[in-house]
Amino acid sequence: MCGIIAYTGSQEAAPILLDGLHRLEYRGYDSAGIALLHRKRIRCWKAAGKISILRQRLPETTAGQCGIGHTRWATHGAPTDENAHPHTDSELRIAVAHNGIIENADVLRAQLMAEGVSFSSETDSEVLAHLLGAFDGSLIDAMRTVLPRIQGTYGLAAIDREAPDTVVVARLGSPVILGIGDGEMLAASDMSALARHTREIVHLDDGEVAEMTPRGFQVTTLDARPSQKNTTQLSGVLADYDKGGYAHYLHREIRDQADVVERTLSGRLDTRFSTAHLGGLNLAPRELLNIRRIKILGCGSAFYAGMSGAHMIEQLARLPVSAEAAAEFRYRNPVVEPETLYIAVSQSGETFDTLAALREIRRKGGHVLGIVNSVGSTIAREVDGGIYMHAGPEVSVASTKAYTSMLTVFALLALMLGRLRDVSPQRGNALVEALQGLPDKVRETLALEPAIASLAPMLVTAHSAFFLGRTSAYPVALEGAQKLKEISYIHAEAYPSSELKHGPLALISSHTPCIVMLPNDELLHKSLSTLEEIRTRGAPVIAVTDADHPRIRELSDEVIHIPQVEPLLQPVIAGIALQLLAYHSAVLMERDIDQPRNLAKSVTVE
C-alpha cells in the first residue's frame, strides 16, 4: 500500500521516477506525484487517478537529476490532486513523500496552524513537510529533530532545495530500501522499483535515517550514531515483474505455479531419510522435540494458508497446532509460552499486523519462525529462523502463487516434524514421492483451465456465493471465497459444511451458487449429505473433487474433477482450481483484476 521512489545521480530523474511508480502500481494506489529538484527550485506534479494521468500533466522536458515520487492509497483525505504526494512546505523548500500513518497528526496540525501555517491538503503527511521546512539547518538534522515528535509509522523520502543532489530517507514501521548504482543512488519502498537500475541493495531498519548523494550513502540512527549496513543482492530479475505475454499479472502468476512449487521444493527433500531438509530454522532436533504446541499467525491468504498448515502439521507431527489472524493476536494480551513455537507467515515480509505480533511475541520471550517470500524483508530479519518460499515476485494484489508456495512450505515443515515424532520411514518415503510429483499434479490442474473457465457464467450473475468444505477443505473454501470477492466483487462466504444447518442454510436458494469442496477422504459420505441439503433447496452446485463417487455427478450441476494427490497436499490442487474459477469470473465481469478496488498488495499500516 502506497509506494515511494527516490533518485539522485547524473541522469534525468523524471523518467526514472515514473518508471519506478509504474512498477509500484501493483501495491494499490489512487493518486500519484513526483517532485524534482533543479537549480535550487522544487517543482511538483500530482494527479488523482492513474499514473498515465500524471504523465500527461508533465511538460515534454523536465530538468532535474534529483527527485522523489509517490503512489498514494488514500487514508487521510479523499484521492484528489491536493491530497496526492509529494507534499511541500509553504516556502517550497522541502518536498516529502510519506508511507504510513501519523497518529498525532491532528495535534501537530493544530500547533502549526496556531503558528500561522496554512495547509493545502487534508492529509496527515503534510505536517511532515511543514515541520521539516521550519527547521533552520540541514535536512538530515531536521529529520533527527522532527521524527521523534511523530507518533505512528513512516517510510519517507525528502528533498531540500538547499541541498541540490541530496535525498534523505527514514524508516519506522514501513519499508525503505536503498539501491546502489554507478554514480547514482535510489531508494524505494519495494524492490520492484529498483530492479531496472541496481542489483545491490541495503535495507533500512526502524529508527534509521539515510542521506544519499550520487557519491554514496550514509546511514545513522535518529540520535546520529553510525549504522553499519551490509549490502545484499536484489532477488529476482526485471522480467519477473512483467506480464510475460498474459493479459494480467494474476493470470501469469497462476500459470507459473508448477515452476513455483518446484522452486519451493528444490533442495529440500531428503530421499535418504525420507524427510525434509530446512536448514534455516536454526533449531536442533532436540529443540524441535521439546515443542509442545505451535501457533501460526498471518493475515488474509497467509492466515488461510496457516490454517491449512496447522492441519498438515497436526496430522503428521501429532502436535496441537492452531492458526490465528495476526491482527487480532496482539490485542488480546496473548499468553506466550516457552514451549510454543510461533510461525509468522507473510508474502512481503512487511505486513504490519504480522510484524507487530512477531514483536509482541519476542518481547515476551517467545521463539518465532518466519515463512516469507521477500529476502531481506523486516520479518525475515527479525525472526529467530525461518523458511524462504522462493515463489518469485508476486505483482497482482490477490495472492496466488505465494499462497500455493506457503502451502508447499507447510507440507515440508509437517513432513520434517512428523519424521522427528510420529511418521514412519515408509510413510515418510510416500510423502516425499508425493511432493516430488506435486509440480506435475499442478500442471494437470492448470490444464483444466478451459473447462473451469466455462463455469464462470454460473457465478457472474449471482449476488452471493457460498464455499463449503470439511476439516482440511474448509481453509481452502475460505481462500476460494476470498479470491472470488477480491477480484470479481461478488459477495462470497465460506463455511464448514458441518455448520450449514446451524444458520447459513437459511440463505441457500436458487440464486446462491455453492462451490463445495469434496476431497476423497474418510468424510466424503458426510460431504455428500451436504450436497443433498443444498440440492433440496435448489441452489446451483459446483463440486470440486478428486473422488469418483457417482453421487457427486448426480447431485451437482457441474464438477471440477481435480487430479488425485496425497490427501495432505489436496489443498494445493483444489486452491489452484478455485483461483482459475475466480479469475475467469472476474474477466467476464471486466474487473480491474490486478488492482482490485480498495485493496493494496502489501498492508504496511494498521
Side-chain angles (χ1 to χ4, degrees), residues 6 11 409 421 561 601:
Q11 302 183 63
V409 166
R421 292 170 172 270
H561 206 282
K601 180 62 179 175

Side-chain angles (χ1 to χ4, degrees), residues 440-455 515-520 524 528 541-554 556-565 570 573-578 580-581:
D440 285 337
K441 295 294 184 179
V442 171
R443 292 185 180 95
E444 290 179 38
T445 309
L446 293 171
L448 300 174
E449 181 170 4
I452 295 173
S454 71
L455 306 183
I515 297 87
V516 185
M517 316 306 297
L518 296 167
N520 190 17
L524 179 60
L528 288 172
V541 173
I542 298 175
V544 181
T545 184
D546 58 348
D548 292 321
H549 199 291
R551 290 291 287 160
I552 296 174
R553 178 65 66 182
E554 294 169 13
S556 305
D557 293 276
E558 300 289 348
V559 178
I560 300 174
H561 206 282
I562 57 177
Q564 287 192 344
V565 292
Q570 205 261 1
I573 301 304
I576 291 170
L578 296 183
L580 288 167
L581 184 61

Side-chain angles (χ1 to χ4, degrees), residues 512-530:
T512 51
C514 294
I515 297 87
V516 185
M517 316 306 297
L518 296 167
N520 190 17
D521 58 20
E522 66 278 2
L523 294 176
L524 179 60
H525 67 287
K526 291 188 177 292
S527 296
L528 288 172
S529 68
T530 300

Side-chain angles (χ1 to χ4, degrees), residues 425-486:
Q426 293 79 13
R427 172 71 170 135
N429 184 61
L431 289 166
V432 168
E433 290 181 354
L435 283 164
Q436 287 173 328
L438 186 59
D440 285 337
K441 295 294 184 179
V442 171
R443 292 185 180 95
E444 290 179 38
T445 309
L446 293 171
L448 300 174
E449 181 170 4
I452 295 173
S454 71
L455 306 183
M458 290 181 63
L459 300 180
V460 298
T461 57
H463 294 294
S464 293
F466 287 91
F467 288 72
L468 302 160
R470 287 180 179 271
T471 59
S472 64
Y474 173 53
V476 184
L478 283 166
E479 174 62 11
Q482 173 102 327
K483 281 294 150 286
L484 185 65
K485 57 191 165 193
E486 275 182 311

Side-chain angles (χ1 to χ4, degrees), residues 24 47 49 70 143 145 149 159 177 297 386 412 470 481 517 549:
L24 292 169
H70 190 267
M143 289 275 197
T145 302
R149 297 178 61 184
I159 52 177
I177 307 164
L297 302 168
L412 288 166
R470 287 180 179 271
M517 316 306 297
H549 199 291

